[in-house]
Amino acid sequence: MSKKLTLPCAVLSCFFIAGCGGGGSGSSGSSSASTGSSVNTAAPLAPVLADNVLVSNSYAADGVFATINQAGIVRAFGTGSGQNVRIAAGSTPLSLTGNTASASGWLVSGSTFEPGTVTLSGNADGTTYTIAAQATGTQASDSSMEVLSTVIAPTPGALAGQYGIVSTSAVTIDGTSLTGTYGNTCMWSATLSPNAKTIDVTDITFRTAGTTLNPNAIACAYAGKTYTGTAFLLGPSAAYPKGAFDIIFDDSATSPVPATLTMYNFIKQ
């Protein structure tokens, strides 16, 4: 079973590039970020990876970002080994067998999502991981994943503030609430539930923006559906002096077959 994949054409493709403002990545977007210390896969894989963020150590070329929330649900966005690695959340969390953790997930195949299996395994070097996804008609992988060390604890104080430097991609976080703009036609809101490193994002809803942002009153393409996601907070760096808020979200929780998968980056102001 598959369904046509749609991604927001208004989203900027400047994710994780210094000076690019609040940007995101669509189906053809690329991404990069600074990685940090490696991890020792001699430790049990599932506890190491739960509530964590992985990134390709080859991120300069494109790179894959993978979030694993506290429950072990996997999402991924990026390009690895010359192919898209775009995974919407499945219905099962990671389950460990030996040094490989497996879960369900929806893998992008052309313009559709296909149900499949996602695996995370420790590589022989003891410092990197392989993410792989297999569906009936497609497969994707990246063997250069590392723990993203610039993630910081998403405490209420660290999260609070304004993010994004352009009016069409700016959000405000106050307590557990996120509100803001999404492209030229949409306003959105969401509920945040922070874990130690990741943030569960629920009740993501959109509505058509008013005439100040959207003078032609073009309908928001995402209104009428509810989305969920996994976010994380980056600490201050040369690229982001005050940090950044990043999110991968999709409609897999409320659709029989998902149709939307997006990664977005908002620089803190």
Side-chain angles (χ1 to χ4, degrees):
M1 180 168 58
S2 64
K3 187 173 182 179
K4 185 176 180 180
L5 170 68
T6 59
L7 290 158
C9 59
V11 174
L12 305 176
S13 59
C14 59
F15 179 72
F16 274 177
I17 299 175
C20 196
S25 297
S27 60
S28 60
S30 62
S31 54
S32 61
S34 297
T35 61
S37 60
S38 58
V39 294
N40 185 349
T41 55
L45 188 69
V48 168
L49 294 183
D51 189 20
N52 229 317
V53 182
L54 302 180
V55 64
S56 304
N57 61 23
S58 58
Y59 59 86
D62 272 316
V64 176
F65 289 81
T67 58
I68 305 98
N69 73 0
Q70 185 167 271
I73 299 296
V74 180
R75 288 180 167 91
F77 195 99
T79 302
S81 305
Q83 66 213 327
N84 287 336
V85 182
R86 311 284 168 84
I87 302 168
S91 58
T92 61
L94 289 171
S95 177
L96 185 66
T97 301
N99 200 37
T100 299
S102 301
S104 64
W106 290 91
L107 178 63
V108 169
S109 175
S111 61
T112 64
F113 279 99
E114 300 290 344
T117 301
V118 181
T119 59
L120 286 166
S121 55
N123 295 332
D125 60 13
T127 64
T128 62
Y129 299 95
T130 294
I131 185 171
Q134 177 75 51
T136 300
T138 190
Q139 59 185 4
S141 65
D142 191 298
S143 60
S144 62
M145 305 298 289
E146 296 179 339
V147 170
L148 181 57
S149 65
T150 51
V151 173
I152 63 172
T155 63
L159 278 168
Q162 308 287 327
Y163 297 79
I165 63 173
V166 295
S167 61
T168 55
S169 57
V171 298
T172 298
I173 297 177
D174 182 7
T176 59
S177 297
L178 177 149
T179 57
T181 59
Y182 191 88
N184 296 305
T185 60
C186 300
M187 305 291 292
W188 64 316
S189 62
T191 299
L192 307 181
S193 299
N195 303 305
K197 292 184 178 179
T198 62
I199 306 159
D200 292 315
V201 188
T202 55
D203 302 321
I204 303 173
T205 56
F206 293 86
R207 61 180 175 85
T208 298
T211 56
T212 300
L213 184 70
N214 182 21
N216 295 320
I218 299 172
C220 175
Y222 308 101
K225 296 184 69 175
T226 300
Y227 303 80
T228 58
T230 308
F232 54 95
L233 189 63
L234 295 177
S237 65
Y240 310 128
K242 296 183 180 180
F245 176 84
D246 297 274
I247 179 174
I248 304 176
F249 69 88
D250 57 54
D251 60 338
S252 61
T254 55
S255 297
V257 180
T260 300
L261 173 67
T262 300
M263 184 169 192
Y264 223 108
N265 165 252
F266 297 92
I267 299 173
K268 192 169 187 178
Q269 300 306 296

